[in-house]
Amino acid sequence: MENTRYHRIKHVLDRRQTDLTVCLEDVHKHHNLSAIVRSADAVGCHNVHAVWPQNQKWLTNNTSGGSKNWIATHLHKDIDSAVAMMRLHNPQVQILATNLCPDAVDYREIDYTLPTAIIVGQEKTRISPQALAHADKNIIIPMQGMAQSLNVSVAAALILFEAQNQRLQAGLYERTMLDESIKHKMLFEGCHPIIAQKCKEKSQPYPALDENGEIIADDEFWHKLKHA
């Protein structure tokens, strides 16, 4: 394994923002899903929530560019379940809804250094009244042309990167938020996918990694992996 891959993955995981997330309500077009997941990964989100039909397949690596492998995706049957989990993860979370209405504020006026969840909906039907009832604030992206809204994936990207900019300025990417057990799992699977798969097949826990990402394990571990 190349040390550069281990250190790159570790650097990314060390900067994950567990208190910044996006929730997709009935956004079913795969090109939009893929773009939003990639933007969430790019700004350091660890969780993405989606109200998603149980009989439909979620993103594949081909449609998401592999970003879904680095994001914890939570699929929900309805928006109430999604909001309940987001508030369970962080009771202080501010829930923002992208919604064109009289009390909506410019998305740049929001303090994204606070724990934040952003709800976006599909362009045709927009966010449901049920979702809006959960929102602490409505936000808009000011438009100067005839169009009243942007493509949902473009809108999500603009808001997420505004959040990233504010958090960079506040130094929030210098803190480590991701649980060490989650980080170890993602590091091990990202650096040693073949061994990780064998561990799963043999019901073996992942062994420790050294400072260069090399596996620390005794002969018993390797014997079990090979013969158990």
Side-chain angles (χ1 to χ4, degrees):
M1 187 207 65
E2 295 182 5
N3 289 346
T4 52
R5 178 168 175 79
Y6 169 78
H7 291 296
R8 179 188 176 193
I9 295 173
K10 186 176 185 303
H11 177 74
V12 167
L13 297 181
D14 284 344
R15 295 164 68 84
R16 277 306 198 219
Q17 305 291 289
T18 60
D19 62 349
L20 176 64
T21 188
V22 61
C23 178
L24 292 68
E25 186 190 33
D26 296 327
V27 179
H28 296 152
K29 292 182 180 179
H30 277 267
H31 65 276
N32 286 332
L33 289 170
S34 175
I36 294 171
V37 169
R38 291 182 74 164
S39 293
D41 172 49
V43 303
C45 294
H46 180 67
N47 298 293
V48 166
H49 297 264
V51 177
W52 189 255
Q54 295 182 346
N55 62 344
Q56 288 190 26
K57 188 175 182 180
W58 183 242
L59 291 174
T60 65
N61 285 346
N62 289 335
T63 55
S64 65
S67 293
K68 78 177 189 68
N69 294 330
W70 304 103
I71 293 285
T73 303
H74 309 277
L75 305 182
H76 307 276
K77 63 179 181 179
D78 53 48
I79 191 63
D80 293 336
S81 301
V83 171
M85 179 174 279
M86 290 189 292
R87 292 203 184 277
L88 180 63
H89 282 173
N90 197 318
Q92 286 76 44
V93 68
Q94 61 174 345
I95 296 181
L96 310 174
T98 53
N99 179 39
L100 182 62
C101 64
D103 67 347
V105 300
D106 188 317
Y107 77 105
R108 293 163 294 192
E109 296 178 9
I110 299 294
D111 181 359
Y112 294 100
T113 65
L114 300 174
T116 301
I118 304 153
I119 301 178
V120 297
Q122 59 173 292
E123 297 152 63
K124 185 176 181 181
T125 59
R126 301 191 178 182
I127 294 176
S128 70
Q130 196 168 5
L132 293 175
H134 288 293
D136 298 305
K137 290 182 180 179
N138 296 306
I139 57 174
I140 58 170
I141 299 172
M143 310 293 290
Q144 307 303 326
M146 293 297 292
Q148 288 190 314
S149 65
L150 296 171
N151 169 276
V152 63
S153 64
V154 176
L158 282 175
I159 298 166
L160 285 169
F161 277 91
E162 171 64 22
Q164 180 200 54
N165 181 59
Q166 290 189 20
R167 286 172 173 243
L168 282 170
Q169 295 298 320
L172 298 188
Y173 285 93
E174 302 308 314
R175 58 185 177 168
T176 298
M177 303 187 70
L178 201 59
D179 183 89
E180 288 299 324
S181 62
I182 296 174
K183 190 187 301 183
H184 177 67
K185 179 179 182 293
M186 297 180 74
L187 274 168
F188 197 95
E189 292 177 356
C191 295
H192 303 282
I194 296 175
I195 302 299
Q197 183 58 40
K198 289 185 178 294
C199 286
K200 292 177 184 177
E201 293 170 0
K202 303 293 185 178
S203 299
Q204 293 292 320
Y206 296 154
L209 300 174
D210 67 16
E211 66 276 6
N212 291 314
E214 299 297 338
I215 296 173
I216 303 173
D218 55 21
D219 292 340
E220 183 181 359
F221 167 79
W222 295 110
H223 179 79
K224 287 180 178 180
L225 209 64
K226 185 175 181 181
H227 299 290

